[in-house]
């Protein structure tokens, strides 16, 4: 029996989702999109931090071209990949993309939907869609600009420039670079730091980070007001003061 296109590993405070089509460099097909939706539904109902990665030495080398070639206008209007990546982006807890090898096209757009991106020196990331007669319509035209700025985003999307790991790090597209053997331990270490905090405070921080500029500062005040009344805030602050020997 073939392995599923998305391998899911559950822990009490995190979930690992590994794109698993190594024979196609983890190209994103409709089955993988359906499995991402199912994973998102699970994490919407039971929020945990998500690590997204790929098997076989690549994150995802794009969308499945054979399926894309068969799609027509009605498929584009359904936003098949775009809606899945929006759902990933809107998960209540953080999403970490741990990338090795190729992260191209739809694979790059899935990574742009993450909150934190880390990589190995083998990373190659970008959007070559216009070379195939389409545009990067699953988030790149707005998310990439927000991450790296308009100048670099325009160059990448209009000239199909592919960044290596060090260029991506310099641009702020990835936050750290790790040897391949250290990539997943680094991702789990990030989750460990997240898990040490109050989950509700993390969720509210992510909500505030994703809010449009004109929602601030009122959204921050509303979220903080809820946290100020939480028992966990009182417990954590009391424990902090006791460690410092203060009443």
């Amino acid at each position: 029996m073939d392995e599923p296109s998305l391998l899911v590993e559950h822990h009490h405070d995190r979930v690992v989702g590994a794109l698993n089509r190594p024979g196609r460099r983890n190209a994103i097909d409709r089955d993988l999109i359906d499995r991402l939706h199912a994973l998102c539904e699970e994490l919407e109902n039971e929020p945990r931090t998500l690590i997204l990665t790929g098997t076989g030495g690549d994150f995802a080398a794009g969308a499945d071209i054979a399926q894309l070639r068969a799609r027509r206008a009605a498929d584009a209007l359904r936003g098949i990949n775009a809606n899945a990546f929006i759902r990933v982006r809107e998960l209540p807890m953080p999403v970490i993309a741990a990338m090795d090898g190729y992260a191209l096209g739809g694979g790059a757009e899935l990574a742009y939907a993450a909150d934190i991106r880390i990589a190995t020196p083998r990373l190659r990331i970008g959007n070559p869609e216009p070379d195939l007669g389409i545009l990067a319509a699953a988030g790149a035209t707005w998310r990439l600009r927000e991450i790296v700025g308009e100048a670099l985003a325009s160059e990448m999307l209009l000239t199909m420039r592919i960044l290596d790991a060090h260029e991506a790090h310099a641009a702020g597209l990835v936050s750290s670079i790790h040897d391949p053997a250290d990539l997943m331990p680094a991702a789990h270490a990030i989750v460990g730091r997240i898990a040490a905090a109050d989950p509700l405070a993390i969720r509210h921080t992510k909500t505030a980070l994703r809010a449009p500029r004109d929602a601030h500062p009122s959204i921050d005040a509303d979220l903080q007001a809820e946290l100020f009344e939480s028992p966990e805030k009182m417990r954590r602050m009391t424990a902090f003061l006791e460690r410092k020997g203060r009443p």
Side-chain angles (χ1 to χ4, degrees), residues 218-230:
S218 62
I219 190 171
D220 306 82
D222 290 342
L223 295 168
Q224 191 77 299
E226 182 180 347
L227 292 169
F228 271 15
E229 296 295 329
S230 73

Side-chain angles (χ1 to χ4, degrees), residues 12 18 33 37 62 85 100 108 167 180-181 185 228:
H12 75 281
I33 290 293
H37 276 296
F85 300 165
D100 192 13
E167 290 170 325
F228 271 15

Side-chain angles (χ1 to χ4, degrees), residues 58-164:
D58 289 300
F59 184 70
D64 189 291
I65 302 303
Q67 288 190 5
L68 279 180
R69 185 179 61 178
R71 291 179 185 173
R72 295 296 183 263
D75 300 299
L77 294 172
R78 278 196 289 270
I80 294 169
N81 290 9
N83 287 325
F85 300 165
I86 287 170
R87 201 168 182 184
V88 169
R89 179 72 162 183
E90 293 180 352
L91 286 172
M93 290 292 282
V95 178
I96 299 160
M99 300 179 289
D100 192 13
Y102 288 115
L104 301 177
E109 291 179 297
L110 176 57
Y112 303 156
D115 299 287
I116 299 169
R117 288 165 294 278
I118 64 175
T120 75
R122 300 188 297 211
L123 176 69
R124 299 294 182 270
I125 186 166
N127 294 90
E129 283 92 340
D131 197 41
L132 296 170
I134 59 174
L135 64 86
T141 56
W142 75 93
R143 290 199 187 102
L144 184 60
R145 182 180 59 201
E146 293 173 352
I147 297 166
V148 304
E150 184 172 355
L152 182 55
S154 295
E155 182 183 354
M156 290 176 65
L157 296 174
L158 295 173
T159 73
M160 294 154 286
R161 177 182 172 187
I162 305 300
L163 302 187
D164 64 28

